Amino acid sequence: MAFSTPISSSYLPRVYSQLSAHEATSETKSRICLSNASSLLQRTLTYKAGFPSHLERRESFNFKVSASVTTDVSTPELPVTPSVVKGDTWSIHKFGGTCVGTSERIYNVAKIVTEDNSERKLVVVSAMSKVTDMMYDLIEKAQSRDDSYELALDAVFEKHKATALDLLDGEELSSFLSILSIDISNLKAMLRAIYIAGHVTESFSDFVVGHGELWSAQILSSVLRKGGVDCNWMDTRDVLIVTPAGSNQVDPDYTESEKRLEKWLSQNPSKAVVATGFIASTPQNIPTTLKRDGSDFSAAIMGALFRARQVTIWTDVDGVYSADPRKVSEAVILNNLSYQEAWEMSYFGANVLHPRTIIPVMRYDIPIVIRNIFNLSAPGTKISRSPVNEIEDKKNLVTYVKGFATIDNLALVNVEGTGMAGVPGTASAIFAAVKDVGANVIMISQASSEHSVCFAVPEKEVKAVAKALEARFRQALSAGRLSQVAVIPNCSILAAVGQKMASTPGVSATLFNALAKANINVRAIAQGCSEYNITVVVKKEDCVRALRAVHSRFYLSKTSIAVGIIGPGLIGATLLNQLREQAAVLKEKSNTDLRVMGILGSKKMLLSDTGIDLSTWKEVHKEKGEKTDLEKFVQHVHGNHFIPNTVIVDCTASTDVADHYHDWLREGIHVITPNKKANSGPLDKYLKLRALQRQSFTHYFYEATVGAGLPIMHTLRDLLQTGDKIVRIEGIFSGTLSYIFNNFVDARAFSEVVMEAKAAGYTEPDPRDDLAGTDVARKVIILARECGLNLELSDIPVQSLVPDPLKGSASVDEFLQQLPSFDTDIAEKQQAAEEAGEVLRYVGVVDVTNQKGVVELRRYKKKHPFAQLSGSDNIIAFTTERYNKQPLIVRGPGAGAEVTAGGVFSDLLRLASNLGAPSC
Ligand SMILES: NC(=O)C1=CN([C@@H]2O[C@H](COP(=O)(O)OP(=O)(O)OC[C@H]3O[C@@H](n4cnc5c(N)ncnc54)[C@H](OP(=O)(O)O)[C@@H]3O)[C@@H](O)[C@H]2O)C=CC1
Ligand SMILES: N[C@@H](CC=O)C(=O)O
Ligand code: NA
């Protein structure tokens, strides 16, 4: 296994120039595609034919020979087992600043160390929290000749004195206080010198800053001794030797460090050692530091030097999460990670370890465990060579992707032109120009057509990069060999990390599928041959949603949908009840999480960041609801939370609300509705809406618009999609009118039966829509358009049952009050039919063959199927090419709260299954 550290941009031109040197001499055309996953831990170049043998090992690169070339940067060899520690079993603990931030916490650390039963223990400590910053501040103040550095130094003294007074007594206390006083007076002298010079050297600064660790190590070791542990403290500057390795990095000199360690241990034998983290010395014995995350690195180096049993990094989180928990609330702690996985995750800002921390322990297969000092019951995350996969036996894709991470504030640069294809040296020239401006290349992608190379750099560096490329390729651009150097700003990277992705077909497909379903556009893709990481570039504003979508798809296998309900009237409220009753079952049985994030009525709305409690929503909406604001509502449901998919369920009968569907679908918001207005409104709007729906991955479902919960749309779509040809659809489409004519018998008053239908919840919010035939006409139009007929509502002749004098009634109440005066008109029609042995039925017809529709009151013989209905039954007969002798008939209750809400609910489940929920 080759050791790798992140490859900085300056390596790229060297890799590419070696390749182009080969290309210039090679007979085979060698460059097809290049790609590096954004972690910079690996770069892969794929060749069409031939392999440049001179690349097998050059300078610091270690190329693997296969169908591809992998470059890793080698680290120095580690020494063989040191004699002094041979046979001893050391365990290493590292405690960061927060772990030793107060007297109480230091005491707690001592307890943890004491309770570790290992034969020998080495404890690496950071400075008490905030002390390192205080020390840097002292230097800053002295350097800028700010006299307050003296007071600031007093504060440092007081902090450590107070801690020692809390924890120590007797000889241990006086000895520490005397050392502390000497250190402080030395520091005073040094800071005075810095003050006078108005300047500080790096070694002076490192010397001053390192005191925080010296004091915390001494205090902890005294506390351990006080508790009966045989313990010494180690100033790691006496042991750990490092050499600068450029760009704020150092390389440990293991051979020299080991020699010094042997000497130190022979002079200071003890069962436990408390060592200072972060600080070290140069080969010339000048104090230095291990730079960023130095204490973790110290612990890892010590782990390697001691061939430790285990290195435990104590921190304030339960372990490594499957994604940033601030962005994905369902992120879970990973019990196990391989070194490579931890490495990749850490690159993407996961709260793991700096990659260089892993290198020393990886060599000797020493596991690192990350644990939470504030939650000892959490087992933490174990990082080792071949982790036992906790979910392996589930045999699903979860096994192969461990976690997800993101990097923001990037820009993509796309260098494009037909003149690039087959021209050796182009990549080398591009990255040489990037290197010249010191920009860091985070990800690279080139399609094998070779017409463009695209790469990501930090946003702040992109201007300089574009300028450098334009200058470098000025001639090619003006000659047209390159068509453009384009910058795509505001991008983010999303990476999926997992060691087993390599050997598993379908991982990328699942990833991209989840992104497509969340309506996320992918701008660029990179995946190295090792496949530890698949990287995609997306727009910054889509990044968190993308992260949630892929996380829930892979890791949780849960389809989470944020639901916004508009119109909590009869149907809306019934749907909310059904959701409440079914939510737990759906979560458990089909891994589907339908979370209602907002409820909006015409006057008030209720919003929640985590999901509305559906057992109390009505009271809370009424009492605590805020003023309705549709835009804010939609933004809230779609934006500010942790669920990747959004659906708006429109349970109003409003045209204004329906007019928003197009915009919502365009924004990636799914729409479900029993409201007929959009599909029966102006034809051009309808066609635009359906065209958008067909083009996008966003869903628009409206089963309950015809026949309420009856599977009418579903049946029709199945017939059409399987290639059947619809000849005619006819039936009783109105639950209200069906109920009325089924019950308008035995000399009952027509108006009385209308009131019953309204009370039963069958009518439209305005029952005149039912009686006037408008509701049926809308259903006829919806079905006709579904069959491909381009009809407007006004194309349908409709026989209204609203008496002419009432057509201008001001309100529903006024209309209902006046209706009884017209009971005799309709009673006469009913009587005439009765006398002929017939019944009245209000029917709708879609005549596909002749491209027209009609809505009217007809008479049917009592034996006719339409005469056999009861309650609010709808009956719809599809005559098709396949069903031409006997029509396909769907019959059942076609109105009412429960069945309609049930139809809407089934659309929600259809959406969930389209978004990846398992079928039941
Ligand atoms: N009843 C049935 O059997 C069937 C009904 N449908 C359809 O279901 C839909 C709902 O019907 P139903 O529940 O009976 O009607 P309701 O009148 O009981 O409920 C309508 C709801 O919509 C709200 N609302 C109206 N306009 C707006 C607006 N502009 N913005 C926000 N909210 C608004 C109302 O709020 P507020 O109360 O504050 O005014 C009310 O909560 C209709 O489209 C109907 O055609 C479909 C099939 C069957
Ligand atoms: N008012 C409608 C309700 C369903 O669309 C009806 O009566 O059918
Ligand atoms: Na239906």
Side-chain angles (χ1 to χ4, degrees):
M1 154 85 63
F3 284 83
S4 300
T5 56
I7 303 173
S8 79
S9 69
S10 62
Y11 287 105
L12 287 174
R14 287 158 68 197
V15 178
Y16 295 126
S17 64
Q18 287 177 38
L19 289 170
S20 54
H22 162 74
E23 284 158 358
T25 56
S26 168
E27 283 179 10
T28 56
K29 178 163 163 275
S30 49
R31 181 161 51 82
I32 296 175
C33 103
L34 61 89
S35 150
N36 85 302
S38 54
S39 61
L40 301 188
L41 298 173
Q42 174 219 346
R43 301 202 187 278
T44 304
L45 296 98
T46 307
Y47 277 71
K48 217 181 226 174
F51 175 74
S53 59
H54 69 288
L55 289 178
E56 277 182 33
R57 189 165 182 101
R58 275 260 182 113
E59 298 182 12
S60 59
F61 294 100
N62 178 12
F63 292 95
K64 285 181 190 158
V65 184
S66 67
S68 67
V69 188
T70 303
T71 69
D72 286 329
V73 181
S74 302
T75 53
E77 284 296 297
L78 294 176
V80 288
T81 310
S83 56
V84 77
V85 293
K86 219 186 220 163
D88 291 341
T89 314
W90 287 81
S91 98
I92 313 278
H93 293 267
K94 180 258 161 176
F95 295 94
T98 12
C99 300
V100 291
T102 60
S103 311
E104 201 188 347
R105 289 186 184 173
I106 294 175
Y107 182 78
N108 191 31
V109 164
K111 200 162 161 266
I112 291 172
V113 174
T114 310
E115 282 167 7
D116 174 357
N117 295 327
S118 304
E119 203 178 325
R120 293 185 187 265
K121 305 170 257 205
L122 178 97
V123 180
V124 175
V125 276
S126 301
M128 291 176 75
S129 63
K130 302 205 178 79
V131 167
T132 305
D133 287 347
M134 287 167 96
M135 304 305 277
Y136 275 120
D137 184 51
L138 289 177
I139 297 165
E140 185 53 42
K141 284 194 160 95
Q143 189 181 6
S144 54
R145 302 207 169 112
D146 173 349
D147 291 316
S148 68
Y149 78 85
E150 290 198 6
L151 281 177
L153 184 59
D154 289 346
V156 170
F157 173 71
E158 289 304 330
K159 185 177 174 89
H160 290 88
K161 183 178 164 190
T163 309
L165 286 170
D166 276 349
L167 293 166
L168 308 176
D169 49 29
E171 179 54 26
E172 293 284 357
L173 176 64
S174 53
S175 151
F176 175 75
L177 290 181
S178 119
I179 289 170
L180 180 66
S181 300
I182 295 168
D183 285 346
I184 292 287
S185 70
N186 285 341
L187 284 172
K188 202 171 265 175
M190 289 193 82
L191 290 164
R192 182 72 193 155
I194 294 169
Y195 180 94
I196 292 166
H199 172 72
V200 66
T201 62
E202 194 182 336
S203 54
F204 254 51
S205 169
D206 286 350
F207 178 78
V208 172
V209 170
H211 277 76
E213 274 73 12
L214 295 176
W215 296 324
S216 60
Q218 288 175 77
I219 294 175
L220 178 61
S221 115
S222 295
V223 174
L224 283 166
R225 271 196 303 274
K226 198 180 150 193
V229 179
D230 170 23
C231 180
N232 279 317
W233 81 279
M234 177 197 281
D235 178 348
T236 3
R237 293 174 305 184
D238 297 338
V239 170
L240 193 52
I241 303 302
V242 296
T243 49
S247 69
N248 218 18
Q249 294 200 33
V250 292
D251 284 337
D253 179 339
Y254 287 98
T255 314
E256 179 58 26
S257 300
E258 195 173 288
K259 258 195 238 151
R260 294 190 184 208
L261 175 63
E262 285 204 34
K263 189 169 161 208
W264 192 95
L265 286 174
S266 63
Q267 290 169 352
N268 302 277
S270 59
K271 294 257 180 211
V273 175
V274 180
T276 54
F278 184 54
I279 56 177
S281 292
T282 66
Q284 297 73 35
N285 295 319
I286 295 168
T288 187
T289 68
L290 300 184
K291 318 297 174 201
R292 198 161 63 90
D293 295 316
S295 295
D296 288 350
F297 195 21
S298 306
I301 300 167
M302 287 300 181
L305 290 173
F306 280 91
R307 311 296 186 273
R309 180 179 65 78
Q310 176 171 297
V311 174
T312 307
I313 307 278
W314 292 90
T315 169
D316 54 1
V317 288
D318 282 352
V320 182
Y321 281 91
S322 52
D324 183 342
R326 288 163 304 180
K327 295 176 178 163
V328 181
S329 70
E330 272 103 353
V332 292
I333 294 288
L334 301 167
N335 292 346
N336 294 284
L337 280 175
S338 72
Y339 293 122
Q340 282 285 2
E341 287 167 340
W343 203 331
E344 296 276 348
M345 292 289 283
S346 68
Y347 177 78
F348 293 102
N351 197 359
V352 201
L353 296 172
H354 192 278
R356 70 189 168 146
T357 307
I358 297 167
I359 297 168
V361 291
M362 192 169 157
R363 175 66 185 244
Y364 298 106
D365 285 356
I366 299 165
I368 303 182
V369 180
I370 297 176
R371 292 199 58 193
N372 189 352
I373 192 156
F374 304 116
N375 181 13
L376 297 181
S377 62
T381 300
K382 185 172 183 178
I383 301 166
S384 57
R385 179 167 303 278
S386 310
V388 181
N389 200 318
E390 64 262 34
I391 36 185
E392 189 135 36
D393 51 352
K394 281 196 181 168
K395 294 270 178 263
N396 59 31
L397 288 178
V398 176
T399 321
Y400 308 106
V401 179
K402 276 295 179 70
F404 300 91
T406 55
I407 309 176
D408 285 332
N409 302 322
L410 302 176
L412 269 182
V413 180
N414 185 30
V415 183
E416 200 172 310
T418 47
M420 289 168 66
V423 179
T426 311
S428 169
I430 291 172
F431 293 107
V434 177
K435 182 215 155 194
D436 287 348
V437 294
N440 190 26
V441 178
I442 299 191
M443 176 224 121
I444 307 167
S445 169
Q446 180 191 346
S448 55
S449 67
E450 301 174 50
H451 285 152
S452 72
V453 172
C454 124
F455 55 93
V457 292
E459 192 106 55
K460 60 181 178 352
E461 289 168 0
V462 75
K463 250 191 189 163
V465 168
K467 219 167 136 200
L469 287 169
E470 272 153 17
R472 170 67 185 76
F473 293 106
R474 184 162 295 130
Q475 206 183 327
L477 282 162
S478 65
R481 277 180 283 116
L482 282 191
S483 56
Q484 61 168 346
V485 173
V487 169
I488 303 160
N490 299 321
C491 291
S492 293
I493 273 179
L494 164 69
V497 172
Q499 191 156 342
K500 298 197 170 181
M501 297 194 298
S503 47
T504 316
V507 174
S508 321
T510 308
L511 180 89
F512 290 109
N513 196 266
L515 290 171
K517 283 180 170 165
N519 206 38
I520 309 261
N521 190 26
V522 174
R523 308 299 305 245
I525 303 164
Q527 176 183 10
C529 284
S530 70
E531 296 180 57
Y532 288 119
N533 146 359
I534 301 174
T535 299
V536 297
V537 178
V538 298
K539 289 302 273 181
K540 189 178 166 194
E541 63 261 29
D542 289 339
C543 187
V544 173
R545 219 155 43 79
L547 177 66
R548 289 167 188 162
V550 294
H551 186 272
S552 78
R553 179 72 186 84
F554 274 98
Y555 213 83
L556 305 175
S557 296
K558 188 189 278 178
T559 305
S560 315
I561 307 178
V563 183
I565 307 270
I566 303 185
L570 181 67
I571 305 303
T574 310
L575 174 66
L576 284 162
N577 277 344
Q578 293 181 354
L579 280 169
R580 174 173 53 76
E581 281 163 14
Q582 202 59 13
V585 179
L586 285 174
K587 251 189 206 166
E588 198 193 309
K589 295 233 164 105
S590 49
N591 238 335
T592 301
D593 183 0
L594 300 175
R595 201 88 62 94
V596 180
M597 309 301 282
I599 300 173
L600 175 130
S602 62
K603 295 180 189 68
K604 283 185 169 182
M605 67 178 183
L606 184 61
L607 305 177
S608 162
D609 287 330
T610 50
I612 293 171
D613 179 350
L614 297 186
S615 53
T616 55
W617 72 267
K618 216 172 226 167
E619 299 81 58
V620 184
H621 178 257
K622 194 169 160 208
E623 283 152 27
K624 300 200 182 136
E626 57 185 281
K627 194 167 172 287
T628 277
D629 176 341
L630 184 58
E631 201 181 317
K632 182 176 172 193
F633 174 84
V634 173
Q635 257 176 25
H636 174 87
V637 177
H638 189 42
N640 184 28
H641 55 83
F642 45 87
I643 303 177
N645 310 295
T646 307
V647 62
I648 296 286
V649 184
D650 170 20
C651 292
T652 71
S654 159
T655 305
D656 290 347
V657 175
D659 279 346
H660 286 85
Y661 296 174
H662 189 271
D663 289 347
W664 295 339
L665 290 177
R666 213 180 36 209
E667 282 175 50
I669 301 172
H670 310 286
V671 177
I672 289 175
T673 190
N675 180 358
K676 303 159 196 102
K677 297 293 160 55
N679 282 12
S680 60
L683 182 66
D684 56 340
K685 272 195 194 172
Y686 166 82
L687 291 174
K688 218 172 117 200
L689 182 65
R690 297 300 309 276
L692 176 68
Q693 176 213 350
R694 285 193 193 101
Q695 282 162 17
S696 67
F697 279 87
T698 322
H699 299 284
Y700 171 44
F701 297 145
Y702 40 85
E703 176 59 72
T705 55
V706 181
L710 296 178
I712 305 298
M713 304 311 304
H714 194 95
T715 305
L716 177 56
R717 216 169 286 131
D718 279 357
L719 292 171
L720 290 167
Q721 282 175 357
T722 57
D724 203 353
K725 299 275 178 306
I726 310 296
V727 176
R728 184 182 177 86
I729 307 171
E730 74 184 308
I732 293 174
F733 294 106
S734 167
T736 302
L737 295 171
S738 177
Y739 180 87
I740 290 171
F741 289 107
N742 293 337
N743 292 280
F744 184 33
V745 290
D746 303 334
R748 292 191 66 192
F750 181 74
S751 58
E752 188 189 307
V753 189
V754 171
M755 294 301 282
E756 271 178 20
K758 183 170 183 322
Y762 302 147
T763 64
E764 290 303 289
D766 183 340
R768 288 172 293 186
D769 284 346
D770 298 290
L771 292 176
T774 318
D775 177 68
V776 176
R778 288 191 186 283
K779 290 166 180 165
V780 165
I781 277 292
I782 292 170
L783 294 172
R785 287 178 177 174
E786 206 72 25
C787 296
L789 305 188
N790 284 339
L791 295 177
E792 291 281 8
L793 194 56
S794 55
D795 295 328
I796 309 292
V798 180
Q799 182 180 353
S800 173
L801 300 183
V802 176
D804 283 343
L806 295 188
K807 281 190 176 145
S809 306
S811 68
V812 173
D813 288 346
E814 192 187 314
F815 166 77
L816 290 173
Q817 267 167 24
Q818 294 171 351
L819 190 60
S821 345
F822 299 88
D823 277 346
T824 41
D825 297 356
I826 189 93
E828 281 167 12
K829 284 191 184 141
Q830 200 262 348
Q831 187 62 36
E834 179 71 37
E835 281 164 14
E838 292 175 342
V839 294
L840 295 177
R841 292 294 181 258
Y842 198 82
V843 296
V845 180
V846 181
D847 181 350
V848 180
T849 313
N850 297 304
Q851 308 206 356
K852 58 185 190 187
V854 66
V855 171
E856 60 194 7
L857 190 64
R858 288 185 181 169
R859 282 165 48 164
Y860 289 89
K861 288 286 172 210
K862 285 194 173 160
K863 283 195 185 139
H864 191 278
F866 286 9
Q868 313 292 318
L869 306 182
S870 63
S872 68
D873 276 1
N874 281 191
I875 182 163
I876 290 110
F878 296 91
T879 307
T880 73
E881 269 182 14
R882 290 178 195 151
Y883 294 92
N884 60 2
K885 291 209 173 88
Q886 288 275 39
L888 186 162
I889 290 179
V890 180
R891 175 190 158 168
E898 291 295 339
V899 293
T900 307
V904 179
F905 199 169
S906 74
D907 272 351
L908 268 170
L909 296 184
R910 193 165 146 229
L911 173 68
S913 101
N914 274 280
L915 295 175
S919 52
C920 299

